[in-house]
């Protein structure tokens, strides 16, 4: 087993639970972040030999009151899975019921304009520390997410051997649902990625085919929660999102923006959406078209909203 990253009374079980999730090949950076938070909480709640009771679980859930419903759902989901795992070793462990999850509604995606993406990338290029690779890394990463629509975890899992600038393509190896696919790059995206890779090489990071493209200071994989924190600081600083606790543009909306822009382009071309949707589904790495239909629904809403805005504008002009 790898070095234990936890310190509380259930450190061994937390580490083994995390290792079993890693063994499936899934991205575990966000899971590890949640488990670290749980570990810190349990250090003040449990004595050696004790387990998670309904009262302890309730106090941890109550401590999340300031977080968004989505974040709370994610954290409670990991707690639920861990308690189920832990109950196999200690039957006294409580099991988390679905009724303990907050009501969650799917947020309306923010469809970024090119001007907004340019502002976000420019702001990312100004972050610290000065002289480090981080500004170029974050700026390039945001641009890649917008230009390709790949998932955040897929981008962070890229290694140098997955990049083929000559063919202008990147290979996603065993992404979500263990699906691999080839993703083309636009000329602009390929140029930006080439510039970043030169900067990465000059910074002295490992350059083998198995080295991560987007690297942390010590050469390992860049951590997703760190990226999320940087993103929120940037979009709040640009006025694109309100204070903590208010909804607004998310990193995942880069993927929505790519999908919706592609669908809008097909709408304008008069394309058969029934024939085109499976193509987009394959490109995005969905197992079925049902996952992609979310973007189709968002596109219809956007077109309807745009139509209403135009009608209102025309009515004002005629008045």
């Amino acid at each position: 087993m790898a070095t234990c990253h936890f310190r509380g009374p259930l450190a061994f079980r937390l580490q083994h639970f995390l290792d079993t999730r890693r063994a499936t090949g899934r991205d575990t950076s966000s899971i590890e972040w949640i488990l670290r938070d749980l570990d810190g909480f349990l250090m003040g709640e449990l004595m050696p030999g004790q387990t998670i009771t309904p009262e302890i679980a309730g106090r941890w859930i109550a401590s999340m009151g300031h977080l968004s419903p989505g974040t709370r759902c994610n954290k409670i989901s990991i707690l639920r899975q861990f308690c189920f795992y832990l109950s196999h070793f200690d039957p006294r462990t409580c099991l988390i019921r679905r009724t303990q999850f907050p009501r969650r509604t799917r947020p309306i995606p923010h469809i970024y304009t090119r001007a907004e993406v340019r502002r976000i990338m420019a702001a990312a290029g100004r972050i610290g520390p000065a002289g480090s690779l981080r500004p170029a890394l974050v700026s390039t990463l945001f641009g890649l997410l917008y230009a390709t629509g790949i998932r955040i975890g897929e981008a962070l899992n890229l290694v140098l051997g997955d990049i083929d600038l000559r063919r202008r393509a990147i290979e996603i190896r065993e992404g979500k649902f263990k699906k691999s696919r080839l993703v083309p790059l636009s000329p602009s995206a390929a140029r930006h990625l080439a510039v970043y890779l030169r900067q990465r090489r000059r910074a002295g990071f490992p350059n083998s085919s198995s080295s991560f493209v987007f690297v942390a200071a010590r050469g390992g994989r860049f951590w997703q929660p760190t990226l999320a924190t940087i993103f929120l600081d940037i979009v709040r600083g640009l006025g694109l999102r309100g204070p903590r606790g208010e909804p607004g543009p998310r990193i995942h909306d880069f993927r929505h923006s790519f999908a919706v822009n592609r669908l809008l382009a097909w709408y304008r071309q008069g394309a058969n959406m029934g024939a085109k949707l499976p193509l987009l589904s394959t490109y995005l790495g969905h197992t079925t078209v049902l996952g992609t239909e979310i973007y189709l629904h968002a596109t219809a809403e956007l077109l309807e909203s745009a139509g209403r805005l135009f009608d209102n504008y025309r009515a004002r002009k005629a008045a």
Side-chain angles (χ1 to χ4, degrees):
M1 187 172 70
T3 303
C4 187
H5 298 292
F6 307 100
R7 298 179 298 155
L10 296 179
F12 175 79
R13 294 300 179 197
L14 286 165
Q15 186 63 50
H16 190 264
F17 175 76
L18 179 62
D19 289 341
T20 58
R21 297 298 296 268
R22 282 178 175 158
T24 66
R26 295 181 62 183
D27 173 29
T28 59
S29 59
S30 59
I31 296 173
E32 181 177 349
W33 174 73
I34 292 171
L35 292 177
R36 284 178 183 268
D37 184 54
L38 177 60
D39 181 53
F41 176 81
L42 294 177
M43 287 176 66
E45 292 281 340
L46 293 182
M47 298 293 291
Q50 294 181 330
T51 190
I52 299 175
T53 64
E55 293 75 22
I56 291 173
R59 285 196 289 273
W60 194 56
I61 293 172
S63 73
M64 307 174 194
H66 64 290
L67 301 175
S68 68
T71 301
R72 279 183 282 153
C73 279
N74 291 337
K75 296 183 75 171
I76 297 172
S77 176
I78 296 302
L79 174 65
R80 183 172 188 260
Q81 294 170 48
F82 176 67
C83 285
F84 181 75
Y85 157 84
L86 190 60
S87 68
H88 290 287
F89 306 97
D90 191 336
R92 299 173 301 163
T93 305
C94 74
L95 297 180
I96 308 300
R97 300 178 182 276
R98 283 285 183 185
T99 54
Q100 293 177 264
F101 284 69
R103 188 170 183 177
R104 185 175 186 176
T105 56
R106 185 178 296 277
I108 298 174
H110 178 87
I111 307 305
Y112 294 101
T113 66
R114 291 191 178 187
E116 287 174 337
V117 175
R118 283 194 291 267
R119 290 176 64 202
I120 291 171
M121 291 178 66
R126 296 190 293 269
I127 65 173
S132 72
L133 183 65
R134 179 172 288 194
L137 181 153
V138 175
S139 178
T140 303
L141 186 49
F142 289 157
L144 185 68
L145 293 173
Y146 177 74
T148 63
I150 63 177
R151 300 179 179 94
I152 303 164
E154 292 171 341
L156 295 176
N157 281 335
L158 287 172
V159 296
L160 294 177
D162 297 331
I163 308 297
D164 189 340
L165 291 177
R166 183 179 60 83
R167 295 171 61 196
R168 292 211 313 266
I170 57 177
E171 185 173 1
I172 306 298
R173 301 178 186 272
E174 294 194 353
K176 193 175 182 180
F177 312 115
K178 291 290 185 179
K179 292 170 70 71
S180 299
R181 65 193 192 280
L182 201 64
V183 175
L185 295 172
S186 67
S188 174
R191 284 196 301 272
H192 278 87
L193 189 55
V195 170
Y196 164 73
L197 291 176
R198 287 196 295 271
Q199 292 173 293
R200 183 191 179 284
R201 190 163 50 248
R202 286 197 297 267
F205 286 100
N207 206 40
S208 68
S209 61
S210 60
S211 300
F212 287 110
V213 173
F214 299 106
V215 289
R218 296 183 180 180
R221 180 183 182 276
F222 201 77
W223 206 28
Q224 186 169 328
T226 302
L227 181 67
T229 300
I230 293 172
F231 173 80
L232 288 174
D233 287 343
I234 287 174
V235 292
R236 284 178 179 138
L238 293 174
L240 296 176
R241 183 169 178 142
R244 181 184 298 272
E246 290 188 8
R250 308 165 300 159
I251 295 182
H252 190 66
D253 289 338
F254 286 128
R255 182 168 165 87
H256 276 277
S257 298
F258 174 86
V260 168
N261 286 335
R262 182 65 266 163
L263 289 168
L264 284 172
W266 282 333
Y267 266 127
R268 290 170 183 142
Q269 294 167 8
N272 182 341
M273 300 307 294
K276 292 293 188 181
L277 204 58
L279 300 178
L280 183 60
S281 181
T282 300
Y283 178 93
L284 292 172
H286 290 152
T287 53
T288 68
V289 176
L290 293 176
T292 315
E293 285 180 347
I294 295 170
Y295 303 110
L296 185 62
H297 178 65
T299 305
E301 288 180 338
L302 286 170
L303 289 173
E304 184 179 350
S305 298
R308 285 198 302 266
L309 288 173
F310 178 74
D311 288 341
N312 293 338
Y313 170 78
R314 188 170 56 183
R316 287 196 303 269
K317 293 290 285 186

